[in-house]
Amino acid sequence: MGEPEMWGRRSWELLSTVRERSPLVQCITNLVSMDLMANVLLAGGASPAMVHSLPEINDFTPHTDALLINIGTLSEAWLPSMMAAAAAAARSGRPWVLDPVAVSASDFRLNACLQLLLLRPAVIRGNASEIIGISNASRVQGSKGADSSHESVEAIDAAKSLALSTGAVVAVTGAVDLVTDGKQVMAVTNGVPMLQKITATGCAVTALIAAFVAVTPQRALQATACALAVFGLAGEIGMATSRGPASLRMNLIDSLHGMDEEAVTSGVNIQHRASADLSPQP
Amino acid sequence: MGEPEMWGRRSWELLSTVRERSPLVQCITNLVSMDLMANVLLAGGASPAMVHSLPEINDFTPHTDALLINIGTLSEAWLPSMMAAAAAAARSGRPWVLDPVAVSASDFRLNACLQLLLLRPAVIRGNASEIIGISNASRVQGSKGADSSHESVEAIDAAKSLALSTGAVVAVTGAVDLVTDGKQVMAVTNGVPMLQKITATGCAVTALIAAFVAVTPQRALQATACALAVFGLAGEIGMATSRGPASLRMNLIDSLHGMDEEAVTSGVNIQHRASADLSPQP
Amino acid sequence: MGEPEMWGRRSWELLSTVRERSPLVQCITNLVSMDLMANVLLAGGASPAMVHSLPEINDFTPHTDALLINIGTLSEAWLPSMMAAAAAAARSGRPWVLDPVAVSASDFRLNACLQLLLLRPAVIRGNASEIIGISNASRVQGSKGADSSHESVEAIDAAKSLALSTGAVVAVTGAVDLVTDGKQVMAVTNGVPMLQKITATGCAVTALIAAFVAVTPQRALQATACALAVFGLAGEIGMATSRGPASLRMNLIDSLHGMDEEAVTSGVNIQHRASADLSPQP
């Protein structure tokens, strides 16, 4: 069995396990993404729980299977809940995943992310500008809201360095998604460009990563690559019957829900990448 | 005219009245459900108003036709608004409806619900775990976020007891929906399983109950059963052309909006249930 | 080239410029509208940023191309951010657009709008009841949540007076949309009635106005009329393949994303209106 086949099988196994166990994924996420994120988790077979009130964290978080924290509409009111939930997840041995949306847009956002990093996320997923921003712990020139002004390959050094310094798996998403633990690098080439024309698809796939990591926390690198591939593949399948971003949004969710073994094993596109292929273009 | 026909006619009359009067339904609801809830109310013919700021309650709530309170993303900041709005509705003689989402997930949530119960909701709608949880005023083992780990029939005793102690109509939704005022029990069998794969459908149908009760507040039991049946029927009709949960979400709303007399009178499935049929399975 | 053709060309030029420059539009908007608004901005070619935390305003707002403020779910916590962002936009010479949703629903809402007006919005967009309400700075009898109980033409005098007193372009939307700077009046007749059965379409088109004004801030009157026409036209095109409000919502976004020169130049319907045509019906 070659590498592509192995990853196809692994992705199918993980998706099947998520469907079977229906992991409870607590999401403390931005206000724009909640509907899409919950529906993507349901379509993927997981059980979403949007719980973000500080007085509930200690009762609730220890009973979840994974936690997603997304700072897209970070506020002073929500930051203490994020910190408490990440700490509770860490204490309970639950994996948690960080989505540092537009981390360089303000000092407030950057400082919040740096605090959160100390609580040991299992995975960090962002676009190239976000990963460079959080890795450099400084503002990136030309960053523009939640959109990236860099290609994913430009962020690979920052991603590796961030992975090594935090112990997290780091995923840089873009036309090609790169996933690294600081040593190995995996490239995922599933997906279609129009996904970027739908708000919160990046947020939603990070939640799906949390669901996949929930069922195999010891293999966060593989789980992250598989979740990205499955989501991207759902986009590819959905694109075939879509006429624009809104129909793609619908078809993406339907495809994720209906995806079968044949579609996953033949459609997933994950490969190890040698470092030589990853040098940023001059 | 037999019982099924009678309920079909009653459902059509109520839906027609909602479309004609367009009751103003104030919703203080969770952040995930807002879009779907507002669109379901519009498709049902009602006029939604998502107003939840404390300084607005006394100006606004007395002019509404009904109030919906949903604790899905309860926070300390919003609870005072919920209390004030429920009190204002009660003072103004407006019916209000409670959706105790994941009531057993935390002490904070449970205590909030118990406080709200004192303000006399006209209807309480939850899944079996939620109704058992609020009825027992204690944590239910094995409850899992907003999903139910019980069948609706297992909650019928809790529902009756809750109805008798609060004076509210209580609806337990699931594969079969049961509605009771503590004495009579109605069973609604409209709906399709895939509705549970769409986030906030339970929240949305509770808002539709508020719209139906708004136009016939003296008959909350009937209005609740009819709203559940009409919503479930919209799901059945929508399912025929759906390929997954996201297309069902779209088709459900389109079907609710376009539903005509023939569809309602022939499709609604409501029946009285004798207590003997409702014993929990051993 | 006649007037309709001129407006068709102008609309196409502006849409093309938005697609080319992808203006960053900061949105401080209500919780119901966020998903639709972000997706409409993306489909129109703009770059949405839902940023509303007070500590971020001074870092973020000066780097945006336009700002949208919508008071639909106004709270005491968010009002300071709205004030700070409007002030920052004004200081930085960025246009900002006000959507005074349900302004007459409470004193809190009305007072907030009156404060915001002092910070010089470039455009104000509301339905007839909202424009009359904010213009009269007093409650309008019979206003009903976010829905209008007036025709747009009934609000034209209020709109002109509001435009003259604030220096803003004022748009009154309804079956016919009227846009005025206090002297000229433009009428836009694109759109379909079913748009009113989709929550937040009014909110979303106001954000699109912000994107259009961002690329031609000196011509806010024209940009506003063109944005309303393009959005309404997307609704017309989408309606052809829709079966209800939810499929229209999807098709509207797809149509906006895919709209080409031929569709815009032949479909846009904007005209100057003589004052004589605009007297309210007795």
Side-chain angles (χ1 to χ4, degrees), chain B residues 22 35 39 47 53 56 254, chain C residues 74 106 109 144 147 247 249:
Chain B
S22 192
D35 176 282
N39 280 315
S47 182
S53 288
E56 302 198 87
D254 282 358
Chain C
L74 185 66
S106 71
R109 221 169 261 248
K144 202 178 171 187
D147 298 330
S247 48
R249 177 186 161 138

Side-chain angles (χ1 to χ4, degrees), chain A residues 21-24 31 34-35 38-39 42-43 45-56 59-60 63 65 78 241 249-251 253-255 257-258, chain B residues 31-32 35-36 71-76 102 105-109 139 143-147 194 196-200 242-250:
Chain A
R21 293 200 209 157
S22 192
L24 181 60
L31 302 171
M34 289 188 173
D35 176 282
N39 280 315
L42 286 167
S47 181
M50 272 60 186
V51 171
H52 48 73
S53 288
L54 191 54
E56 303 198 87
D59 283 355
F60 191 75
H63 302 108
D65 296 304
W78 284 40
T241 50
R249 176 186 162 137
M250 179 179 76
N251 294 327
I253 293 171
D254 282 358
S255 299
H257 178 264
Chain B
L31 302 171
V32 192
D35 176 282
L36 183 67
I71 63 156
T73 54
L74 185 66
S75 66
E76 287 178 306
S106 70
D107 289 339
F108 173 58
R109 222 170 260 246
R139 311 260 192 101
S143 86
K144 203 179 169 187
D147 298 329
M194 197 180 277
Q196 299 191 26
K197 289 288 179 188
I198 310 170
T199 198
S242 296
R243 293 181 302 176
S247 48
L248 177 57
R249 177 186 162 138
M250 179 180 75

Side-chain angles (χ1 to χ4, degrees), chain C residues 7-264:
Chain C
W7 283 106
R9 292 228 62 77
R10 173 54 49 97
S11 297
W12 174 246
E13 284 164 21
L14 283 177
L15 178 59
S16 302
T17 308
V18 169
R19 288 175 177 177
E20 198 184 301
R21 292 199 209 157
S22 192
L24 180 60
V25 181
Q26 179 182 0
C27 302
I28 306 185
T29 187
N30 70 72
L31 302 171
V32 191
S33 67
M34 288 188 174
D35 176 282
L36 183 67
M37 185 178 288
N39 280 314
V40 163
L41 284 172
L42 286 167
S47 181
M50 273 59 187
V51 171
H52 48 72
S53 288
L54 192 54
E56 302 199 87
I57 301 297
N58 284 332
D59 282 356
F60 190 75
T61 305
H63 301 107
T64 61
D65 297 303
L67 168 70
L68 173 281
I69 293 181
N70 174 306
I71 62 156
T73 55
L74 185 66
S75 67
E76 286 177 308
W78 283 39
L79 183 54
S81 297
M82 293 178 179
M83 299 292 294
R91 271 199 312 276
S92 317
R94 262 65 178 180
W96 76 274
V97 178
L98 176 64
D99 196 329
V101 180
V103 60
S104 305
S106 71
D107 288 340
F108 173 58
R109 221 169 261 248
L110 181 60
N111 291 333
C113 276
L114 297 179
Q115 284 183 271
L116 285 163
L117 281 188
L118 300 176
L119 297 168
R120 299 209 150 270
V123 184
I124 303 165
R125 199 284 320 161
N127 65 34
S129 295
E130 289 159 354
I131 296 301
I132 293 170
I134 195 171
S135 189
N136 291 358
S138 67
R139 311 262 191 98
V140 176
Q141 296 304 313
S143 86
K144 202 178 171 187
D147 298 330
S148 182
S149 46
H150 296 83
E151 300 291 324
S152 54
V153 73
E154 297 177 64
I156 191 61
D157 289 337
K160 282 181 167 178
S161 146
L162 182 62
L164 291 173
S165 67
T166 61
V169 166
V170 176
V172 190
T173 53
V176 176
D177 303 329
L178 300 174
V179 187
T180 184
D181 58 3
K183 287 162 256 163
Q184 297 185 72
V185 178
M186 238 87 85
V188 182
T189 49
N190 293 105
V192 293
M194 197 180 276
L195 287 170
Q196 299 192 24
K197 289 289 179 187
I198 310 169
T199 199
T201 46
C203 308
V205 76
T206 315
L208 194 66
I209 289 171
F212 274 55
V213 173
V215 300
T216 180
Q218 302 308 319
R219 297 186 162 189
L221 182 70
Q222 294 190 0
T224 300
C226 291
L228 287 166
V230 164
F231 187 83
L233 180 59
E236 291 172 30
I237 297 170
M239 194 68 210
T241 50
S242 297
R243 292 182 304 176
S247 48
L248 177 57
R249 177 186 161 138
M250 179 180 75
N251 293 327
L252 163 78
I253 292 171
D254 282 358
S255 299
L256 179 57
H257 177 264
M259 205 175 270
D260 63 13
E261 183 169 358
E262 162 64 18
V264 176

Side-chain angles (χ1 to χ4, degrees), chain A residues 131 135-136 155-168 170 180-183:
Chain A
I131 296 301
S135 189
N136 292 356
I156 190 61
D157 290 338
K160 283 180 166 179
S161 148
L162 182 63
L164 291 173
S165 66
T166 61
V170 176
T180 184
D181 59 2
K183 286 162 257 164

